[in-house]
Amino acid sequence: MSEKGPIFILSVDGGGSRGVIPVSVLNFIEQEEQISVRKEFDFFAGVSTGALVAAYLARNVGSVEQLVSDGYSSESMTQIFDKSIWDKMLGRMQNQPKYDGVNKRAYIDRQADGALINDIVDKHLLILAYDFMNRELVTFKNGRGSDSLYNPPLAEICDAATAAPTMYPPVATTAPKRRWLVDGALATNDPSQCAISEALAMGHSLEDIWMLSMGTGRPTHDLSQEERDKIGEKSRGWGLLDWLTNGLLDHMMSASSSVSAHQCEQLLGNRYLRINGELPRSLMQIDNTHEVRVEDLKSYAFLWFEEFIVEIRALLGGVHEARAQHAQIIKTKN
């Protein structure tokens, strides 16, 4: 155990409106275990919709229950995923982002309330974006790294981190050297590995790192071999438009998440818990915000919570024990 002691990380994937699931699971944990998620975790990491969750928790502006009922309600998300009547008429014929991002930024501005990233001083925050001009990952973190020097507004960071290509336009930063950023999910949809690297850079040993990683679902294996072969054969002729129509962005997000989860499990062992599960393909669309669908996602969140509650308690217990051991070591030294 290092002198810094254990660090408990909450990592939240991207997934658009499917972000309903991780925030609902966190709410169930709070209610069932009678704990505060913000108090339990030392470090919040997020990408895309997970960036909104991480920023909300790091700022300590409300309860998880409020985030579920307000931020991830059907009404709120419908406003975020909104477009003009003209765009609705053109549909897939339009050669521009599906949404203009105006309502998304308005929602983020209200949530951030003018806060800057370095206003957060009692928790660690990591949000990922992608600089598509220079083809590099951008890591926004409070108090560390080049991006903390110009102390960007949280609204700017979260707007960039959720600017999914084809869905929203890129976001320009206010840094002295202007960059054009898009959704960090283009690089990785699971920020867990990046969070581990950051914890190591801060001086924590690998044995001190504990993590709860929250996914946003993968499609259930409900296709027959005949159906898979039919789609597979057809995919041989797909061009860019066909791949976009058939969820190219979501495929990229799912692939990067599976790689990250595998590597984190190898690195942390039983100090790592990944909460994720299968969803019907009808619930995988990242911008479907219909009230019935949102309630369906919450139902799956409860199923995941029930499935993982024993492991969740074991992880929480392990963190508490590690903290107690570190406190005893410090007391003995003093």
Side-chain angles (χ1 to χ4, degrees), residues 27-333:
N27 185 41
F28 293 140
I29 293 173
E30 279 201 337
Q31 301 301 320
E32 180 70 19
E33 301 303 305
Q34 292 295 293
I35 61 172
S36 163
V37 165
R38 188 179 192 274
K39 290 181 180 179
E40 286 291 333
F41 291 92
D42 310 296
F43 188 157
F44 300 97
V47 63
S48 195
T49 193
L52 302 182
V53 179
Y56 179 91
L57 292 170
R59 277 195 65 216
N60 195 25
V61 292
S63 67
V64 178
E65 186 176 14
Q66 287 176 305
L67 183 59
V68 174
S69 62
D70 298 336
Y72 282 88
S73 68
S74 173
E75 182 180 4
S76 291
M77 291 192 294
T78 298
Q79 291 176 356
I80 293 172
F81 289 105
D82 192 22
K83 53 188 175 182
S84 69
I85 296 177
W86 179 248
D87 287 341
K88 293 176 182 178
M89 291 174 61
L90 287 176
R92 291 175 181 170
M93 294 175 59
Q94 62 178 341
N95 186 28
Q96 60 189 32
K98 190 173 183 181
Y99 308 108
D100 60 21
V102 173
N103 286 343
K104 174 169 74 78
R105 181 55 184 261
Y107 166 79
I108 292 172
D109 280 335
R110 290 194 299 272
Q111 290 293 315
D113 193 27
L116 307 177
I117 190 169
N118 286 335
D119 290 342
I120 301 166
V121 295
D122 62 332
K123 299 291 181 179
H124 301 291
L125 174 64
L126 173 66
I127 291 177
L128 306 182
Y130 184 73
D131 181 342
F132 76 95
M133 293 284 188
N134 295 309
R135 301 189 181 185
E136 60 185 15
L137 182 70
V138 178
T139 56
F140 290 103
K141 45 200 176 184
N142 54 327
R144 280 180 50 81
S146 59
D147 284 299
S148 68
L149 298 179
Y150 81 94
N151 198 15
L154 269 179
E156 176 183 305
I157 295 170
C158 290
D159 195 18
T162 54
T166 74
M167 302 290 285
Y168 293 107
V171 174
T173 68
T174 55
K177 184 179 180 181
R178 187 183 302 278
R179 291 173 301 180
W180 292 87
L181 305 182
V182 296
D183 196 323
L186 200 62
T188 177
N189 194 50
D190 178 355
S192 299
Q193 278 184 280
C194 293
I196 291 175
S197 297
E198 179 62 16
L200 292 171
M202 291 189 298
H204 294 274
S205 67
L206 188 62
E207 292 73 23
D208 289 338
I209 299 174
W210 298 74
M211 176 178 287
L212 176 62
S213 175
M214 310 286 294
T216 57
R218 58 181 181 272
T220 186
H221 299 291
D222 59 352
L223 297 178
S224 66
Q225 188 61 54
E226 182 180 358
E227 290 171 321
R228 294 182 187 186
D229 289 341
K230 184 177 180 180
I231 295 173
E233 287 294 335
K234 190 175 181 180
S235 70
R236 292 182 175 184
W238 287 354
L240 178 60
L241 181 60
D242 297 304
W243 273 107
L244 290 175
T245 303
N246 286 277
L248 175 61
L249 182 61
D250 212 24
H251 284 299
M252 295 172 62
M253 291 163 61
S254 297
S256 64
S257 291
S258 62
V259 172
S260 180
H262 170 75
Q263 294 181 333
C264 289
E265 185 175 9
Q266 298 301 309
L267 288 170
L268 301 184
N270 61 7
R271 299 189 310 281
Y272 169 81
L273 176 61
R274 172 76 169 169
I275 297 181
N276 201 20
E278 293 185 346
L279 292 176
R281 294 175 189 274
S282 61
L283 295 181
M284 287 298 296
Q285 190 178 357
I286 64 176
D287 59 344
N288 187 334
T289 60
H290 192 278
E291 187 173 357
V292 173
R293 180 182 183 272
V294 171
E295 291 304 313
D296 286 342
L297 290 172
K298 289 181 180 179
S299 296
Y300 274 91
F302 185 71
L303 292 176
W304 293 7
F305 166 73
E306 287 192 316
E307 178 183 351
F308 287 99
I309 184 58
V310 174
E311 289 92 336
I312 292 169
R313 286 173 177 159
L315 187 71
L316 290 170
V319 172
H320 295 165
E321 183 178 350
R323 285 172 173 164
Q325 289 177 356
H326 180 255
Q328 184 61 40
I329 291 172
I330 297 299
K331 183 179 179 180
T332 302
K333 286 183 178 181

